[in-house]
Amino acid sequence: MKFDANCIFCKIVQKQAPSSIIYEDDSVMAFLDIRPINEGHALVIPKEHYEGIFDIPSELLGKVHQVTKTVANAVKQAVNAEGISIVQQNGRAANQVVFHLHVHIIPKYAGQKIKSLHELQMADHKQLDLTAAKIRPYI
């Protein structure tokens, strides 16, 4: 498996950095975003390091999106979201900040607009763990 020692998501996969994991199998992992837009904001990643959509094998990308659907359903139920935004960015021009392919699952509510990255605050790890525990039963 390809890993990047400088990548925070690779460190999460290897359990070298804290995270609130809500799903994990041999090739894909889902955990809560440390700077959530709303409670339940989750990320789905391949465990192997791929920078973006252009270099990940299609079969693995399909698996990432299968897990995205499962996690999106679980998040929606757990936090009573009215909708879910699915966001996946590729490259600096697209506002990708962490260069390890990831899909955002963002719970949304009527009339709400997505905040910009500089407006988001770091979440408390204990609160993220509580939210993860609320979502896991729906997986």
Side-chain angles (χ1 to χ4, degrees), residues 83-94:
I84 297 284
S85 288
I86 305 292
V87 179
Q88 198 276 309
Q89 298 151 308
N90 296 278
R92 288 189 200 287

Side-chain angles (χ1 to χ4, degrees), residues 10 63 75-76 97 119 138:
C10 287
K63 176 70 188 261
V75 166
K76 186 175 188 296
V97 176
E119 295 176 294
Y138 294 99

Side-chain angles (χ1 to χ4, degrees), residues 48-117:
E48 192 166 356
H49 185 85
Y50 294 99
E51 186 172 305
I53 200 165
F54 306 109
D55 62 339
I56 187 171
S58 294
E59 183 176 313
L60 181 55
L61 179 63
K63 176 70 188 261
V64 167
H65 283 285
Q66 288 173 346
V67 172
T68 296
K69 180 179 180 179
T70 299
V71 173
N73 280 319
V75 166
K76 186 175 188 296
Q77 291 179 68
V79 301
N80 296 312
E82 295 176 52
I84 297 284
S85 288
I86 305 292
V87 179
Q88 198 276 309
Q89 298 151 308
N90 296 278
R92 288 189 200 287
N95 295 322
Q96 184 177 7
V97 176
V98 177
F99 290 89
H100 182 126
L101 184 129
H102 56 287
V103 179
H104 291 264
I105 297 169
I106 306 167
K108 297 290 293 293
Y109 303 90
Q112 182 182 28
K113 294 186 180 182
I114 294 179
K115 297 176 185 175
S116 66
L117 288 175

Side-chain angles (χ1 to χ4, degrees), residues 1 14 16 21 23 27 34 43 51 53-54 67-68 72-73 78 88 95 100-101 117 122 127 133-135:
M1 236 186 238
Q14 295 178 333
Q16 296 173 351
I21 298 169
Y23 176 86
S27 59
I34 192 70
L43 302 174
E51 186 172 305
I53 200 165
F54 306 109
V67 172
T68 296
N73 280 319
Q88 198 276 309
N95 295 322
H100 182 126
L101 184 129
L117 288 175
M122 293 286 280
Q127 183 58 49
K134 189 162 60 170
I135 296 169

